[in-house]
Amino acid sequence: MSIALAALGVVLQVAAAAPASPASITVRLGERVRQVPMVAAIGGGMALRADVLAEALGGQLVRDASRAGRYRLEVGRIGVDIESGSSLAVVADDTLPMTAEVFRRASMLYVPFAFASDLLPRIGSGVMFDAEKRELRRFAPVAASKRPVDPPRRTAPSPARAEPDRTATRAPGDARTTRQHVVVVDAGHGGPDNGMSGPIGAGPKVYEKRITLAVATQLQRALEQRGVRVVMTRTTDTLIALSDRGRIANEAKGDLFVSVHVNAANPRWKNPGGARGFETYFLAEAKTEDERRVAAMENEAIRFETKADVKSDDPLGFIMRDMAQNEHLRESSRLADLIQAGMRTVHPGPSRGVKQAGFRVLVTAFMPAVLVEIGFGTNRSEANYMTSPERQAELADKLADAVIRYLAEYERKVGG
């Protein structure tokens, strides 16, 4: 009995010494501060009570009388539709995935922790999350629009760095810009780094580095026709270090950075040769295994580089780079949305959506930046599609249209 009691005492001591998980997050609305308790979520992780979170942000949780289990969490003029048992949130016309399901417990509705730490800040709700302090802060609400947009940001695309064009740059619809902008176009891989090769099975061999350079060159032409100044990270079959691509963009004082790549199927998939479609990434922590796979595949190019970036290990340098990059994440997400919408009109494959991952080539570009996977080179039909000069020009035109639409939106947002 004494041995058992002694063992129990040791267990209790260890439990008491172990750091406890934070029991709440702080929500700051001006001078008002609230604590929102956290509970264990279904399937792991933490969750927040939706009505308490809404009240702390100065908003409200409204039950949808037409459908059981559906609610709208309103913060200012932004409304997020959520449903018990679903991991999707709807904002205006956008459906956004969450890391876990919304659920009910004891008649109360709970949302995953990432709803507060990631989703609300990302949709332009006038909210930001300080991960270090575990603090959610709400600032002035944004104006109403069909799709939520962010408040003007000081470090987003800068004013013209050259003499303004006398004629507004036009794209389909009402998209136009009134200034000449600088867009950095990056053709993925190059030199000894072929990138992916395909397709799986029979068919002429294709290499990613050749397709990306061809499409990037077509994109340069399309953007220049629209009055945009273009800086290319490479124009020949040569290797440019991943960190150098971002440096080139920064030195060019680019407004946007667009990196073109070709996807490859995971050989462990049930039918890897049948994988098809296009997707656009912006820089953030990967949330799914497939996002981590694509990031690892594209980041592998670093093994071809002969010099390491010693300064990248400097703690202060990392913090400063992280702060600068965070300023552009929401703008990058919006650019990715527009690119996906444009490619959907011409691409024969399905849209695989906007995704996020830690691409090294995006880390060092301190401006809105995206990486576009224009198709699967491992798929025979998509390999044929992407190697056709006509289709390459078609894709480049849609990418250029999306860039112009984004720049025009931004100018309207800041009163330009």
Side-chain angles (χ1 to χ4, degrees):
M1 178 67 72
S2 59
I3 295 176
L5 289 174
L8 178 59
V10 172
V11 171
L12 293 174
Q13 290 176 10
V14 171
S21 299
S24 64
I25 66 168
T26 301
V27 178
R28 185 179 297 275
L29 176 60
E31 297 300 318
R32 194 185 82 173
V33 178
R34 294 282 191 275
Q35 296 296 320
V36 178
M38 293 196 295
V39 301
I42 296 174
M46 305 301 290
L48 304 163
R49 212 172 102 179
D51 60 328
V52 177
L53 176 64
E55 188 278 332
L57 288 168
Q60 61 180 340
L61 182 69
V62 181
R63 185 193 301 269
D64 187 342
S66 65
R67 180 165 175 173
R70 178 175 289 180
Y71 297 79
R72 166 166 285 208
L73 193 149
E74 298 176 346
V75 179
R77 301 192 180 192
I78 301 296
V80 185
D81 294 318
I82 52 179
E83 187 170 354
S84 178
S86 172
S87 61
L88 298 176
V90 178
V91 183
D93 295 330
D94 292 340
T95 301
L96 307 173
M98 294 185 287
T99 56
E101 291 183 356
V102 175
F103 64 91
R104 291 181 62 85
R105 180 178 295 166
S107 77
M108 298 299 175
L109 191 75
Y110 290 84
V111 293
F113 173 67
F115 181 90
S117 65
D118 177 61
L119 189 142
L120 283 178
R122 194 152 50 92
I123 62 175
S125 55
V127 170
M128 71 165 287
F129 183 73
D130 186 328
E132 183 178 353
K133 295 183 178 179
R134 199 171 286 264
E135 182 175 277
L136 193 65
R137 303 170 193 153
R138 183 183 169 204
F139 303 99
V142 300
S145 64
K146 181 181 179 183
R147 184 189 190 277
V149 295
D150 299 326
R153 305 189 66 85
R154 180 176 59 84
T155 53
S158 56
R161 309 176 201 283
E163 286 296 317
D165 220 348
R166 296 300 180 188
T167 307
T169 303
R170 296 174 182 268
D174 63 351
R176 66 177 68 186
T177 65
T178 57
R179 308 183 182 112
Q180 186 182 50
H181 292 274
V182 179
V183 174
V184 180
V185 177
D186 172 52
H189 306 277
D193 175 19
N194 289 324
M196 64 74 56
S197 61
I200 294 174
K205 200 74 167 176
V206 301
Y207 295 99
E208 181 174 6
K209 67 175 183 178
R210 296 174 184 170
I211 297 174
T212 60
L213 182 58
V215 174
T217 302
Q218 293 274 24
L219 178 55
Q220 177 188 23
R221 173 198 58 78
L223 286 170
E224 288 176 345
Q225 287 178 348
R226 291 159 172 80
V228 174
R229 186 164 76 85
V230 177
V231 174
M232 301 281 285
T233 59
R234 72 179 180 98
T235 57
T236 60
D237 184 15
T238 186
L239 178 66
I240 306 295
L242 294 180
S243 57
D244 284 346
R245 297 175 192 242
R247 178 184 56 78
I248 291 169
N250 297 329
E251 290 178 354
K253 294 179 169 51
D255 293 302
L256 298 176
F257 181 87
V258 179
S259 187
V260 180
H261 287 258
V262 175
N263 215 336
N266 187 331
R268 294 193 297 272
W269 288 348
K270 185 176 181 180
N271 178 24
R276 300 167 57 240
F278 54 97
E279 56 198 23
T280 305
Y281 286 82
F282 66 97
L283 179 67
E285 183 180 359
K287 290 187 174 181
T288 69
E289 184 62 35
D290 191 50
E291 290 172 351
R292 286 188 286 270
R293 176 191 66 82
V294 175
M297 178 177 67
E298 301 299 358
N299 289 343
E300 189 182 10
I302 197 171
R303 66 190 175 93
F304 293 97
E305 301 170 16
T306 57
K307 294 189 295 182
D309 182 5
V310 178
K311 294 181 180 179
S312 65
D313 294 328
D314 170 51
L316 178 59
F318 171 80
I319 293 170
M320 296 302 294
R321 287 192 298 272
D322 185 57
M323 289 174 63
Q325 188 55 262
N326 283 338
E327 289 292 311
H328 303 295
L329 296 189
R330 293 177 216 169
E331 296 294 333
S332 301
S333 174
R334 178 56 181 155
L335 174 59
D337 284 338
L338 292 170
I339 286 175
Q340 283 297 113
M343 293 180 66
R344 188 181 292 117
T345 63
V346 296
H347 202 289
S351 171
R352 296 169 63 88
V354 172
K355 301 182 179 182
Q356 58 191 69
F359 291 99
R360 186 176 176 86
V361 71
L362 300 182
V363 169
T364 51
F366 299 141
M367 62 199 67
V370 295
L371 185 147
V372 188
E373 297 280 3
I374 61 172
F376 277 82
T378 44
N379 180 279
R380 189 182 310 172
S381 64
E382 290 202 349
N384 291 336
Y385 172 79
M386 290 183 292
T387 51
S388 163
E390 292 78 13
R391 303 288 79 79
Q392 290 171 350
E394 189 176 63
L395 282 173
D397 279 338
K398 293 303 177 182
L399 292 174
D401 286 346
V403 166
I404 297 300
R405 286 185 184 278
Y406 169 80
L407 293 171
E409 277 189 12
Y410 177 76
E411 286 184 2
R412 290 196 298 271
K413 195 190 309 182
V414 298

